[in-house]
Amino acid sequence: VDNNGTQYGLLGLKSYSLSDSLSLFCPAPCPSLPGAYDEYSSCSGSSRAAGMNGNGPGNLVDPLEDPVPGLGTYEDFNTIDWVREKSKDRDRHREITNKSRQSTVALLHSVSDAFSGWLLMLLVGLMSGALAGGIDIAAHWLTDMKDGVCLIGFWFNHEHCCWTSNETTFQERDRCPQWQSWAELITGTSEGAFAYIVNYVMYIFWALLFSFLAVILVRAFAPYACGSGIPEIKTILSGFIIRGYLGKWTLIIKTITLVLAVSSGLSLGKEGPLVHVACCCANILCHLFTKYRKNEAKRREVLSAAAAVGVSVAFGAPIGGVLFSLEEVSYYFPLKTLWRSFFAALVAAFTLRSINPFGNSRLVLFYVEFHAPWHLVELGPFILLGIFGGLWGALFIRANIAWCRRRKSTRLGHYPVIEVLVVAALTAVIAYPNSYTRMSGAELISELFNDCSLLDSSQLCGYKQVSCAEEPGELKAGLADRPAGPGLYTALWQLALALIFKMMITVITFGMKVGADEFPSGLFIPSMAVGAIAGRLLGVGMEQLAYYNHDWFIFKGWCSPGADCITPGLYAMVGAAACLGGVTRMTVSLVVHHVRADWRLEYIVPLMAATMTSKWVADAFGREGIYEAHIRLNGYPFLEPKEEFEHSSLAVDVMRPRRSDPALAVLTQEGMTVGEVEALVESTHYSGFPVVVSQESQRLVGFVLRRDLLISIDNARKRQEGVVSASQVVFTEHAPAQAAEAPPPLRLRGIMDLSPFTVTDHTPMDITVDIFRKLGLRQCLVTHNGRLLGIITKKDILKHMAQIANRDPDSILFN
């Protein structure tokens, strides 16, 4: 009813509430939802959804209300509009709920829609667990193939080949007639210098073959199947679109090349890339469900759960996987995603346990049980390991980024295949003579975590045998501290050399060739191996110090002669956690990962102390972890939530246009023709345009995305009669009066965001940055008393932060 008392009707609103009816005509505030951002795009309120669904007065198509193909979709290397995606999902859910009250079929559809998320999580867990089990089995088999072959079946690895043999001895339980080295097959003997050379050459040959096949497959079929994938996963979860990165070809090639890369003997692991594999599984399975196929925000909730699944199958730690996704990679993690992540990680862990790839009825290869408790005095060495881990993490990040930059700026990076082969050959040549560098990273960590027992024949357990009288009836779970023997001293020298080699070669190997032809690689296992070696060396040193100096003040009272005082394997575990924490800056999830190796919670304090110390020390040299550093190196548009913005600039200092720039490109709500709009779009590269009342007033009305604008105009030319270049484009509710001979106007109010997010020109930038992070904005408009002044995009913020940090602002590559 207007002011004159005239009554007007509302048509087609049979099931709408009052608030729904008002939302069709009145601008609504932008919902405060977490999400992401994009360059030159906008936050979309629920008011847009009505027009997009064909119920609003600005419906573009025709009375049949057919959807416009492509409307609301995104281009490659762009960022999703989180708020619009959440608004679309709310409207879809509201429609399903309303229809469920009308019929039994609609009720069943509502139930299936609610259950589809859990079914998808079940499928993701099953598929990821099965692939992880296959990768573990294949990698173990190919790794052993470098040493020899099984005569009763070439598909058996060394351990499986000797399982059924009755001719093995305790001292040489890894040797049996059914398994022969390459020297035995070629020369007929395994002894002598010539046999050693034959095995040496075959080891290098297989390492070069595996690495060559891996890099060729990546280059030829799936360039995105490269690196660890975690930096890109973090960027994608923040809303960025990299089409094909989680596709089926990437999954197939990543799975194959991951096995080859690990088996080649390079200093890398498969644990990080398993996150990429799990996310590929989730993205492919999302296409089976309309709810996730057509909504980018909902799909990213599934990808967050898939990241948890990847870590769950990598470390056998479902809870640690959920915490990893929450702490390290996820950008938007609602409570519903937490539950579904836990469920999917649990399913994946059960699937992997059923496959039993390690043959030990455990989820992980390096499962160990420690029997002796730790003492408060040992907290000092544990903190020393934390300091070492922090220093190593900071040094590794700086060295690795410097090496990667050198690859990008020199001819070295132009020959990725040759580079990989050279690094693989160098690694094999140096690694083979040392038994601790020859074995795979997971086997090395398992060896270092080992708690020596009476029946252990490991070289690390080469202690002198001493007779210690025990009190009658005393039951000891472990052995007493013993003096080191010749075997242990040899092992310590080899470990010291292995530590230096691992530290140097990991810097070169990780992120090999930054660009499209990267090598599939992960960082978890190499970092843990460095820390485990340092921890084992320190642990043995503390053990011998306690054995020979029981009367010292620090040992008196708790470490008596004949007692099991020091556990070197525990030091190795603490060192592994410290170094991995220093490189990645993980804390909570990292402790949970390592506690699962021994379920006695009394060891959680040393792990927490070392991990926090490692993070503090590493943060003193720079707050970026290795994944954030590679995100910045690759120029991805990612606003790091952990980074503080401490500059005192205002929104007007960052917005565009600057004082020397041309005026902001805008659309007016009426008065522009189709030809003028197309000319404006063609002459600019922006992803969206503000809509104002007129060029004179610059009063803000809304925001239109470039892609939606072009699709709508093209669709109108094809499906509406009379739309020509001279047709007026109007963003108002009602078309203005026109001459009789004028072509019909093109009404586009239905594609306009009526509630773009705005800040005033004097808003502090620290607040603006927080708004971008927490709402996931792609851009916001800057106004003064309602008058449009400019626009701030996420790329503008990243460039501004780069300038403050004295970095190159043009390093932000993507829009």
Side-chain angles (χ1 to χ4, degrees):
V1 182
D2 65 8
N3 292 333
N4 299 323
T6 307
Q7 296 184 3
Y8 297 90
L10 293 176
L11 302 179
L13 300 175
K14 49 189 176 183
S15 63
Y16 279 69
S17 65
L18 178 60
S19 60
D20 292 325
S21 305
L22 291 176
S23 70
L24 296 175
F25 304 96
C26 305
C30 180
S32 297
L33 289 173
Y37 36 70
D38 196 4
E39 176 83 334
Y40 311 106
S41 329
S42 75
C43 147
S44 325
S46 59
S47 58
R48 175 191 297 177
M52 302 255 320
N53 292 335
N55 295 323
N59 187 13
L60 173 65
V61 189
D62 54 25
L64 296 177
E65 298 181 355
D66 293 332
V68 180
L71 202 64
T73 58
Y74 305 94
E75 296 179 345
D76 200 8
F77 298 119
N78 233 302
T79 309
I80 70 170
D81 188 336
W82 281 83
V83 182
R84 177 169 69 173
E85 297 299 309
K86 298 300 293 183
S87 176
K88 285 166 53 178
D89 184 63
R90 282 199 308 271
D91 291 340
R92 181 197 61 81
H93 187 266
R94 186 185 298 117
E95 181 182 359
I96 292 176
T97 302
N98 291 336
K99 288 182 178 180
S100 66
R101 304 188 184 101
Q102 301 174 3
S103 66
T104 305
V105 175
L107 178 62
L108 293 176
H109 175 65
S110 175
V111 173
S112 66
D113 180 78
F115 182 70
S116 62
W118 295 99
L119 177 60
L120 177 57
M121 291 296 99
L122 176 66
L123 295 177
V124 170
L126 291 172
M127 185 174 180
S128 300
L131 283 176
I135 289 172
D136 289 329
I137 293 172
H140 197 178
W141 170 56
L142 289 183
T143 299
D144 288 349
M145 185 177 287
K146 293 188 298 182
D147 297 324
V149 67
C150 185
L151 299 181
I152 60 175
F154 73 93
W155 55 88
F156 289 124
N157 61 36
H158 194 169
E159 184 179 4
H160 291 171
C161 186
C162 294
W163 263 358
T164 58
S165 175
N166 295 322
E167 302 175 40
T168 58
T169 63
F170 178 76
Q171 288 76 14
E172 296 183 338
R173 51 190 167 181
D174 60 338
R175 296 183 60 85
C176 62
Q178 291 80 7
W179 178 268
Q180 290 195 358
S181 66
W182 292 110
E184 289 177 302
L185 287 174
I186 297 173
T187 66
T189 179
S190 61
E191 306 294 335
F194 184 67
Y196 182 85
I197 293 174
V198 170
N199 286 331
Y200 201 162
V201 171
M202 291 302 297
Y203 182 90
I204 297 173
F205 167 76
W206 286 111
L208 290 175
L209 178 62
F210 294 155
S211 57
F212 175 75
L213 290 175
V215 72
I216 287 297
L217 287 173
V218 169
R219 292 200 67 186
F221 297 103
Y224 283 149
C226 57
S228 71
I230 292 181
E232 288 76 15
I233 294 297
K234 290 188 66 169
T235 308
I236 290 173
L237 288 179
S238 71
F240 197 59
I241 292 178
I242 308 178
R243 301 210 180 277
Y245 196 83
L246 302 176
K248 58 180 181 300
W249 272 110
T250 303
L251 174 63
I252 295 171
I253 299 302
K254 185 85 172 187
T255 303
I256 297 172
T257 56
L258 185 55
V259 173
L260 294 170
V262 172
S263 304
S264 67
L266 288 166
S267 183
L268 48 84
K270 62 182 181 298
E271 284 67 24
L274 279 175
V275 175
H276 189 184
V277 169
C279 287
C280 287
C281 296
N283 185 65
I284 292 169
L285 292 172
C286 276
H287 287 80
L288 301 177
F289 301 87
T290 305
K291 176 168 67 173
Y292 298 99
R293 182 176 66 250
K294 294 186 176 181
N295 194 294
E296 295 287 349
K298 295 291 291 180
R299 191 182 305 181
R300 274 152 182 77
E301 293 180 14
V302 177
L303 294 179
S304 293
V309 170
V311 175
S312 172
V313 295
F315 288 97
I319 300 176
V322 175
L323 293 176
F324 171 81
S325 179
L326 176 62
E327 179 183 8
E328 186 63 23
V329 298
S330 292
Y331 201 88
Y332 174 55
F333 203 84
L335 190 60
K336 178 173 59 177
T337 303
L338 177 68
W339 299 332
R340 291 181 176 176
S341 299
F342 182 77
F343 174 70
L346 187 64
V347 171
F350 273 122
T351 304
L352 186 65
R353 171 64 180 80
S354 301
I355 297 174
N356 192 20
F358 305 113
N360 58 3
S361 299
R362 306 289 183 183
L363 289 175
V364 289
L365 178 61
F366 37 91
Y367 179 87
V368 66
E369 291 185 2
F370 300 131
H371 301 95
W374 65 279
H375 194 269
L376 189 62
V377 174
E378 295 181 90
L379 205 56
F382 294 148
I383 292 176
L384 284 178
L385 287 174
I387 295 173
F388 171 79
L391 293 174
W392 154 246
L395 174 64
F396 172 80
I397 292 172
R398 294 198 176 188
N400 180 251
I401 295 300
W403 178 250
C404 290
R405 288 190 189 278
R406 183 170 179 82
R407 284 195 187 107
K408 295 181 70 175
S409 59
T410 63
R411 295 178 60 86
L412 178 65
H414 296 166
Y415 306 99
V417 177
I418 296 177
E419 180 189 6
V420 168
L421 292 179
V422 169
V423 174
L426 182 66
T427 303
V429 169
I430 300 177
Y432 186 82
N434 189 333
S435 61
Y436 294 109
T437 54
R438 187 191 315 169
M439 64 179 64
S440 67
E443 290 175 334
L444 174 61
I445 294 173
S446 178
E447 182 83 0
L448 295 170
F449 283 8
N450 183 30
D451 188 19
C452 293
S453 62
L454 279 173
L455 302 180
D456 207 315
S457 60
S458 170
Q459 195 174 17
L460 281 173
C461 300
Y463 295 93
K464 293 179 181 179
Q465 296 298 326
V466 294
S467 57
C468 54
E470 296 182 346
E471 295 181 7
E474 182 183 356
L475 295 176
K476 298 186 65 175
L479 286 174
D481 289 346
R482 293 166 290 167
L488 181 57
Y489 282 120
T490 302
L492 293 180
W493 276 110
Q494 291 179 338
L495 281 180
L497 294 175
L499 177 62
I500 298 173
F501 170 73
K502 284 285 185 182
M503 292 175 70
M504 296 179 63
I505 204 67
T506 304
V507 170
I508 299 174
T509 306
F510 181 71
M512 198 180 296
K513 173 76 175 68
V514 176
D517 304 314
E518 247 178 87
F519 197 68
S521 60
L523 187 63
F524 280 34
I525 289 297
S527 298
M528 291 175 62
V530 169
I533 294 173
R536 187 78 186 201
L537 291 173
L538 180 61
V540 173
M542 286 291 297
E543 181 187 45
Q544 297 304 302
L545 188 67
Y547 178 80
Y548 288 108
N549 300 279
H550 285 292
D551 54 344
W552 280 17
F553 173 75
I554 59 173
F555 299 117
K556 188 175 295 184
W558 67 276
C559 186
S560 56
D564 187 9
C565 304
I566 306 294
T567 306
L570 175 60
Y571 284 74
M573 178 183 290
V574 172
C579 281
L580 184 55
V583 171
T584 64
R585 310 300 163 84
M586 293 189 299
T587 53
V588 180
S589 58
L590 184 58
V591 171
V592 175
H593 289 162
H594 284 75
V595 167
R596 63 87 184 87
D598 185 292
W599 292 106
R600 295 178 64 179
L601 294 182
E602 64 181 284
Y603 300 119
I604 198 170
V605 174
L607 289 169
M608 292 175 66
T611 303
M612 283 308 305
T613 303
S614 172
K615 176 176 172 55
W616 289 333
V617 172
D619 283 348
F621 295 91
R623 300 184 67 87
E624 282 185 334
I626 185 63
Y627 300 125
E628 291 78 21
H630 274 269
I631 286 174
R632 181 165 55 83
L633 178 68
N634 293 329
Y636 298 139
F638 182 78
L639 267 178
E640 175 55 52
K642 305 170 188 174
E643 188 175 357
E644 297 291 338
F645 186 89
E646 299 175 350
H647 202 262
S648 59
S649 53
L650 302 177
V652 70
D653 301 323
V654 181
M655 75 172 191
R656 286 182 294 165
R658 310 290 168 80
R659 285 190 171 88
S660 58
D661 293 344
L664 188 66
V666 297
L667 301 172
T668 57
Q669 66 177 356
E670 57 184 55
M672 296 184 71
T673 64
V674 171
E676 291 172 341
V677 171
E678 290 178 328
L680 177 64
V681 173
E682 288 297 324
S683 63
T684 60
H685 62 278
Y686 306 131
S687 296
F689 301 92
V691 180
V692 296
V693 173
S694 64
Q695 293 286 357
E696 293 76 22
S697 72
Q698 292 288 307
R699 191 73 61 177
L700 182 62
V701 176
F703 195 89
V704 175
L705 296 179
R706 175 196 187 97
R707 181 176 175 84
D708 289 353
L709 189 61
L710 291 175
I711 290 175
S712 300
I713 293 175
D714 182 65
N715 181 75
R717 285 185 181 275
K718 293 178 180 178
R719 303 176 64 180
Q720 286 186 334
E721 295 182 3
V723 175
V724 294
S725 296
S727 299
Q728 277 202 16
V729 177
V730 295
F731 295 95
T732 55
E733 228 175 278
H734 306 287
Q738 291 183 311
E741 65 277 5
L746 181 58
R747 302 190 316 187
L748 299 181
R749 183 180 174 85
I751 67 168
M752 181 174 63
D753 177 14
L754 296 174
S755 57
F757 201 94
T758 61
V759 296
T760 66
D761 50 344
H762 287 90
T763 303
M765 274 307 297
D766 55 345
I767 296 178
T768 306
V769 171
D770 280 341
I771 291 173
F772 267 81
R773 286 172 176 160
K774 294 175 181 178
L775 293 183
L777 300 182
R778 300 186 290 184
Q779 90 294 309
C780 69
L781 303 174
V782 182
T783 61
H784 179 75
N785 293 335
R787 186 176 184 272
L788 179 65
L789 293 182
I791 184 172
I792 298 177
T793 67
K794 180 157 162 277
K795 189 173 181 181
D796 294 329
I797 291 179
L798 290 169
K799 284 188 172 184
H800 183 67
M801 296 173 73
Q803 287 177 331
I804 294 174
N806 295 320
R807 299 194 302 261
D808 180 16
D810 293 328
S811 61
I812 311 301
L813 303 179
F814 297 106
N815 288 344

